[in-house]
Amino acid sequence: MSILVNKDTKLVVQGITGRDGKFHASKMKEYGTNIVAGVSPGKEGETLDGIPVFNSVAHAVKATGANTSIIFVPAAFAADAILEASDAGIALVIAISEGVPIQDMIRITPILKLNGTLLIGPNCPGLITPGEALVGILPAMIFKEGNIGFISRSGTLTYEVVNLLTQNDFGQTTCVGIGGDPVAGLYFIDLLEMFENDPETKAVVLIGEIGGDAEEQAAQYIAEKMTKPVVAFIAGQTAPPGKRMGHAGAIISSGSGTAEEKIAAFNKAGVPVAKEPGEIPELLRRRLAEQSK
Amino acid sequence: MSILVNKDTKLVVQGITGRDGKFHASKMKEYGTNIVAGVSPGKEGETLDGIPVFNSVAHAVKATGANTSIIFVPAAFAADAILEASDAGIALVIAISEGVPIQDMIRITPILKLNGTLLIGPNCPGLITPGEALVGILPAMIFKEGNIGFISRSGTLTYEVVNLLTQNDFGQTTCVGIGGDPVAGLYFIDLLEMFENDPETKAVVLIGEIGGDAEEQAAQYIAEKMTKPVVAFIAGQTAPPGKRMGHAGAIISSGSGTAEEKIAAFNKAGVPVAKEPGEIPELLRRRLAEQSK
Amino acid sequence: MKIHEYQARQIFRDYGIPVPDGVLCYTVYEVEKAAREMDRMVVVKAQVLAGGRGKAGGVKLARTVEDAVAAGKQILGMDIKGLTVEKVLVTDAVDIEKEFYVGLINDRNTKSITLMVSAEGGVEIEEVAKNNPEKIIKYSINPLTGLLDYQARNVAMELFGNIKLAQKAASIFIKLYKLYIETDATLAEINPLVLTPENEILAIDGKMNFDDNALFRQPKILAMREPDAEELQEIAANEKGLAYIKLDGNIGCMVNGAGLAMATMDMIKLYGGSPANFLDIGGSSNPQKVIDAMNILLSDKNVKAVMINIFGGITRCDDVAKGLIKALEIIMTDIPIVVRLSGTNAEEGLALLKETGLPTVSSMSEAAQKAIELSKR
Amino acid sequence: MKIHEYQARQIFRDYGIPVPDGVLCYTVYEVEKAAREMDRMVVVKAQVLAGGRGKAGGVKLARTVEDAVAAGKQILGMDIKGLTVEKVLVTDAVDIEKEFYVGLINDRNTKSITLMVSAEGGVEIEEVAKNNPEKIIKYSINPLTGLLDYQARNVAMELFGNIKLAQKAASIFIKLYKLYIETDATLAEINPLVLTPENEILAIDGKMNFDDNALFRQPKILAMREPDAEELQEIAANEKGLAYIKLDGNIGCMVNGAGLAMATMDMIKLYGGSPANFLDIGGSSNPQKVIDAMNILLSDKNVKAVMINIFGGITRCDDVAKGLIKALEIIMTDIPIVVRLSGTNAEEGLALLKETGLPTVSSMSEAAQKAIELSKR
């Protein structure tokens, strides 16, 4: 088992003829992801790495039954591409595009809800269910099948931590990079719930960062609803207020969204917070041992 | 039984302190309609004819449990007032206001659907369930309890026909004036379905007019779904194309929406169409007699 | 409310839709000047608020300045569907590779705005709809999102099959949608939208209608109103709280309520007469309104008899009768009048009118028959 | 992106929000001229992109022209939170009956824009939020409808309790929402919104932030950008595809990825060091990017050691190593550098770097400890 993507995923790649789209479509296909279609307006009929290209998501869905989409189009067109996928009946959309205007996301969020579409991102590295499907730009070789669920707001920090997990023999059910933008699709709580309900997942690692209060909400959710152990890490403890640390979401405004508050919330919820990434495997080992007592 | 309004209706009057609102609130109350509140921003705390006035529909609903609203505010503010009622949880809104811009109605329609609000109007005379509740500007004395359902796009023509029905001893379950605007709330089909499902209603009289194809759709619906007899009349057989006959909706555009087409559709569906209003009671008598054979 | 082609083109231009240059001319001298300055092949187009201008000879291609002058002479002052041509548009004659149709319209059924496009441009879309409905692509626009880029592009791809042209066309569709929303339009057509041999896409002719109910918030559109004589009459009636439309018959009608007014016209026709007008006086029994209505009614010299049909609802018939009596005292006319009063306090009203000697009846059909009879004397 | 008060006031004015008159002045002479022309009590306000201008002495009431000149002399050139005041706004001193707060902000939780109002105006809203959260009314705006008239009016009624004032305020809320949407703002505050003894409602001070990701479609907003020296550096870095923020420490960091870069800073702190910057070079191994990053890093004279932390994902570590080697050939610096490479082809990368004699390690914590050690030499 796993969450969101697996062997049944039929992926369409929006923006498949662009530089990033082309590159990562190949990588995903190489990993074994079932890519059924690409979309690039005006290129219907062509194929790319054996993948048929369509003018629109609607055409792609009609011809191939695609149920999941990954988006590589430039930020200015990303919201439109997400709506196109959603309106075409795609159930899960992963938006890799970085730099999408916040109000575009606010505008499309209720429409996605109406259509019943789940969104991951934008500005995210995507997700992977090791051994089944890679839908994103994550480096496949660091992941390993196992029973740890993984959720993170960042990219390379995800790789750093997953690498440590894999080296310490903690394989993963599914690893999800939810992206660093302030207004994004699925968030910690949504994914914690999915992991809680996934029989294969035994524990969850959550990588938060400064800005917003998603971590605080996650902590509350964990305290109230979760039976599985969770271990956390928060990046940005030294970041100064009011500055945007690369991620649009990683900004501390007026005394809220600080690492201290987030760490306190997790501690209150009984979630151990690692001081540095290297500590995570050990914390995980301990929590799992406690759980099995 | 009846449809839409009855003894359980708890009515709030939006625009109760305006000239029309005040006058018709009295008339409705006099008829026995359960008016629980009025809305007029800035006048919260006052009463009018014994009806408590609130600043907002939300306040009115909270204080009185109102479930139905009637709107008398000027056309420019009508769409906003409808949304206010809908957002406050009102289940049925009757918009009397005349001259509401069409795009306002287009804009609010999907929101009403999301909120699960039913709308009648705008630019309509409202509705009445004789003996139970009058929610509109209809002249109460021409109506009579009975088992004929009545739906009409026009105002005084409704009175003309209802008067004939009552004189011929055809009382009514509920009479609904759906209004003459091209984009309106409940339409023929919606109400035909409600009458079909209302055990008290034995037959339906439908008064259509030129413009649009609501009558054609109604004819098709009757042919396919209805067991109860329907008798129709279509106003505007002599109206010239391209001219707006008082009602914004009563305009024949480019060879569609003509009375001939509508009459043909009804005839095809087995619905007799009266040549003049005076014929309606006789047609109704015949259809009811056929039915009871 | 309708506007002229040249006005629609100006709105298009304001919203960034490419439109060929054009000059509005009221005189042949202006046509000559415009053609000379343009210094290329031009088209001279009658500006009247009527369809079928081409068929009526109101649109002419002119290769030279002399041709343009000739066209101007022919078209200015000509009659198209009863309207006199008072001005012409002199515009670049664009080389045309292919013509398309693009339109936006309010759709009652879906309660949304519908985008219609067709590769059968340059002809009346109603013809295409009748004869080749499969050649029209209709796309219903979700009011919650407006016309989205991908939607405009996908529709344009169906039409052009080429992404570069589709993107140009999609941008025009989106601008047309924006102006449609922002002007409270009820119809916005580009017909034809043309593709030139240089792969430019241009709006050659435009038609726009607007929601009369929204003019209160559209001062710029309202300022474009150029009503003809008949419309002026309708507008004047409107300002008095009346809805009036002139028709061809000889029996004037005065009715309260639009539906009843239409049914009254139908009734007259049913009994072999011919209505002279549609006239809805609304819900008031104010004598002044009755006077205004009678004045408008009788200004039509074809009227041989008048049928007044009132159904008293909230309005009481005796009040209406009092209004009528006052009105008739002031107006003084020889045209015979028949009055039908029914509904609230009808008896009292009829009693009051009896004293005036006006023929009164209590049913619509009687009234119609009586009016027809009176009209034939 | 932030803008000055005078710029926010101009945007307000463009959208019809009432704002008292004001003149932007760069010199004391201009202040004198403005005060003389206004010929009434004025306020002289420092225009710097920092909060707490009042507390810092950057806002002064001037009853006479002489007062205004004195205020101008004091404020122009003064330092507020490290920023030099280069201009002041001379504005009408409005009689104030009561002060309110009105703000719009993007709310991550509801994924919508939130309207916040408070009768506690004129102070920093963060203070109110901390001490009297019940005094802030928050209203989450449905993105599908925008801020509706009835909503604005109902919120304003809560604040003013009087329909006439509420309607004036509601109209301001709706204009603020419109400009917020149309400028891709992330924050729009009127603080204070004041009620005058004459029952006028005016926006006295304004603050606006904008979404950097949307500036591509906001040319008018972009044109208002007035970055200070530090921001110029950040913008210059951005244009090179780097995200750079200067901090106060002495260990320069170069990292791929924002989250990892923050974690790197945290790690340095954890081991007793102090990061000199945040620097994310993104996903590329292009040597030029590494060169640019090093140049920016080393332009900070506080830097005593550099920690390069790369986790190879799609980017291969050997490619990054090659980029680094090329970069270091060009840059030539005495500042000690420690390199940590991990992930894809890390071993190959480390092997390449070994030849250059750079200290290399394979874990973040080692790298941080080594960098701290080097910085102390």
Side-chain angles (χ1 to χ4, degrees), chain B residues 155-207:
Chain B
T156 44
L157 181 57
T158 295
Y159 313 159
E160 176 83 40
V161 178
V162 167
N163 196 43
L164 285 168
L165 291 178
T166 295
Q167 282 171 358
N168 283 274
D169 219 28
F170 287 113
Q172 304 92 39
T173 46
T174 304
C175 297
V176 188
I178 62 173
D181 276 7
V183 174
L186 293 180
Y187 239 74
F188 288 138
I189 290 185
D190 311 299
L191 293 162
L192 286 170
E193 189 180 353
M194 291 181 196
F195 280 128
E196 174 71 13
N197 294 330
D198 173 39
E200 198 83 359
T201 300
K202 300 283 179 246
V204 178
V205 173
L206 185 157
I207 308 295

Side-chain angles (χ1 to χ4, degrees), chain B residues 47-68:
Chain B
T47 61
L48 208 137
D49 205 6
I51 304 161
V53 178
F54 297 89
N55 282 341
S56 66
V57 182
H59 285 192
V61 168
K62 202 175 166 196
T64 69
N67 56 20
T68 303

Side-chain angles (χ1 to χ4, degrees), chain C residues 206-218:
Chain C
K207 185 176 168 187
M208 288 194 74
N209 295 347
F210 302 93
D211 183 358
D212 290 342
N213 285 339
L215 290 176
F216 73 89
R217 63 186 180 198
Q218 297 293 349

Side-chain angles (χ1 to χ4, degrees), chain D residues 232-257:
Chain D
L232 275 175
Q233 209 171 25
E234 291 166 17
I235 292 166
N238 259 316
E239 282 166 1
K240 297 195 161 83
L242 308 167
Y244 174 82
I245 292 165
K246 195 187 166 317
L247 301 170
D248 297 330
N250 61 4
I251 298 177
C253 316
M254 185 194 305
V255 190
N256 65 332

Side-chain angles (χ1 to χ4, degrees), chain B residues 68-142:
Chain B
T68 303
S69 165
I70 186 165
I71 291 177
F72 287 101
V73 306
F77 312 111
D80 189 64
I82 296 170
L83 284 183
E84 176 172 6
S86 174
D87 289 346
I90 295 287
L92 173 65
V93 178
I94 292 91
I96 305 299
S97 317
E98 186 182 339
V100 180
I102 299 174
Q103 290 194 12
D104 284 4
M105 294 310 301
I106 290 177
R107 197 166 44 77
I108 70 170
T109 295
I111 308 288
L112 298 181
K113 199 176 161 196
L114 278 177
N115 288 350
T117 307
L118 299 182
L119 172 70
I120 296 177
N123 189 20
C124 80
L127 76 169
I128 182 170
T129 291
E132 300 203 26
L134 163 63
V135 181
I137 60 172
L138 303 147
M141 68 286 175
I142 60 170

